[in-house]
Amino acid sequence: MTLFNITRDGGAEITAALGLISNRVDFELWKPILPLGMRDVAAITGTETLEELARFYAGDAAPETAENPLAPEALRYLQQAVALFSWLKIIPTLDAHHDENGRRALRGENEAALTALEQYKDEANIRHLAFEAVDALIETLDRAQFPFWTQSRKYRLRRGLLIRDKETFDEYYTTGSHRLFLTLLPMIREVQQATVAPLMGRDLLARLLDGDAEIEDRTGDTARRAIALLTMKKAVERLPVEVLPDGVVQVNQSSPVNQKLRAEKEARAAVAAALDEDAARYLRQLSDAVAEIRAEGAVVDFFVPGPIVHSKGISF
């Protein structure tokens, strides 16, 4: 499986995909690293996307892929994402010379090395661009509705969920990211099954999933809002800060490492607690709505029992 160098001009293809390098790169230097960049993308989108778009690049794709006008756009974003993730793995070593004697700095006599903060900002920006490329790729896949995408394991995770796309999730908590929504799908399912399903009951949840207008009107918005908030709570607790939307967990990156780690832990806890508190309020509203629906169908028993006589007295 290859995404570059099919015409023996891989260095120029990578340079064009990156858009950050003024000179043509040496493809032989990149060749061993590119599969690792592919693994980074496959971890988000699944392997089906890489395999089919690699076949499209080689001119051997299925007709429904080859004839789709969005296939070249999807391939371009995939190549860009793979190149950027690979660049992240290569760039830290380019300032050093490695040989049998170890490693030493590789720079001109009058050249100054970047500070640690400058290096961090540069690599953070490249990582951000890589995530943006994956986000654009997933958006293109959703618009094109390629069969290899809609039948993939990653896409099928949406089935049976109350929140099935990024646009719906953004109505309750704005992430602006197709990539993050795909990452959140297992947590959305976890929250729905562990929290909302027991509260609503299987019957009402099934009616809501089937599009019952009455149940949708009375519980749909509240249930989805609770799911979105609890999903973000779990994301803040579990995911690296780098993959979360900007500003969700705010930490001063110029602080020393030990201070930054402590501040990140405290910031995560504060954000998670706020999300949990908001979600609890909507879960109470959902519980009240479910109770009202159940009460409407309940049979009223007007029988008033008489006193129960015990040996030591009478109880009512």
Side-chain angles (χ1 to χ4, degrees):
M1 182 171 62
T2 182
L3 294 170
F4 298 97
N5 206 43
I6 197 169
T7 60
R8 299 292 184 265
D9 200 16
E13 290 179 291
I14 292 172
T15 302
L18 287 172
L20 300 173
I21 304 178
S22 57
N23 299 321
R24 178 173 170 173
V25 304
D26 182 358
F27 181 75
E28 292 303 315
L29 174 67
W30 283 67
K31 188 175 180 179
I33 308 299
L34 287 171
L36 303 180
M38 293 181 191
R39 290 180 72 249
D40 288 336
V41 178
I44 301 172
T45 65
T47 58
E48 298 94 338
T49 296
L50 271 75
E51 290 171 353
E52 182 62 14
L53 289 179
R55 283 192 287 267
F56 176 72
Y57 175 69
D60 190 32
E64 56 268 26
T65 301
E67 296 168 5
N68 194 307
L70 290 176
E73 182 179 340
L75 174 62
R76 184 172 70 253
Y77 286 132
L78 174 59
Q79 288 176 315
Q80 189 173 31
V82 169
L84 286 164
F85 277 121
S86 300
W87 185 226
L88 274 174
K89 302 177 191 306
I90 294 173
I91 195 172
T93 67
L94 292 183
D95 291 334
H97 175 72
H98 299 79
D99 56 26
E100 66 276 8
N101 296 318
R103 178 177 62 185
R104 64 178 182 272
L106 182 65
R107 65 177 70 96
E109 183 177 346
N110 297 317
E111 292 180 354
L114 294 176
T115 65
L117 181 58
E118 289 171 333
Q119 290 178 8
Y120 172 83
K121 288 182 176 180
D122 181 55
E123 293 179 20
N125 182 59
I126 295 173
R127 182 178 293 104
H128 178 75
L129 291 173
F131 286 149
E132 284 288 317
V134 175
D135 203 54
L137 169 62
I138 297 171
E139 182 180 6
T140 304
L141 296 174
D142 281 344
R143 285 192 291 125
Q145 289 291 286
F146 296 106
F148 70 81
W149 172 239
T150 57
Q151 296 168 14
S152 68
R153 182 181 179 86
K154 289 285 187 178
Y155 191 89
R156 285 187 284 112
L157 286 172
R158 310 176 188 213
R159 295 179 181 175
L161 297 180
L162 290 172
I163 301 179
R164 302 178 189 178
D165 53 58
K166 169 254 182 189
E167 287 73 22
T168 302
F169 194 94
D170 281 356
E171 292 178 15
Y172 304 103
Y173 195 104
T174 302
T175 64
S177 172
H178 293 268
R179 166 194 56 82
L180 181 59
F181 175 74
L182 207 62
T183 304
L184 293 177
L185 280 173
M187 299 182 199
I188 294 174
R189 183 173 297 279
E190 177 185 349
V191 170
Q192 180 174 310
Q193 292 179 342
T195 305
V196 172
L199 193 153
M200 293 190 67
R202 291 185 179 181
D203 55 338
L204 291 183
L205 181 58
R207 290 172 62 184
L208 182 58
L209 288 169
D210 289 340
D212 186 299
E214 180 188 0
I215 303 302
E216 172 63 39
D217 183 61
R218 300 176 69 171
T219 66
D221 185 79
T222 306
R224 291 187 184 92
R225 194 173 298 279
I227 289 173
L229 291 169
L230 286 175
T231 298
M232 285 307 302
K233 172 181 179 288
K234 292 184 179 298
V236 167
E237 292 172 336
R238 298 176 182 178
L239 296 179
V241 172
E242 292 79 11
V243 307
L244 296 173
D246 293 338
V248 173
V249 178
Q250 300 184 31
V251 180
N252 184 1
Q253 300 296 345
S254 62
S255 303
V257 174
N258 60 341
Q259 293 182 17
K260 185 172 71 173
L261 291 175
R262 184 168 59 252
E264 179 182 314
K265 181 179 179 181
E266 293 172 354
R268 282 180 185 268
V271 174
L275 290 167
D276 189 56
E277 182 178 348
D278 291 342
R281 183 167 61 253
Y282 289 106
L283 287 173
R284 287 193 295 271
Q285 292 180 13
L286 180 61
S287 179
D288 291 343
V290 170
E292 289 179 3
I293 295 172
R294 301 287 187 196
E296 289 172 2
V299 177
V300 179
D301 185 359
F302 294 100
F303 173 72
V304 179
I308 301 174
V309 180
H310 293 284
S311 60
K312 293 186 179 180
I314 300 176
S315 62
F316 296 88

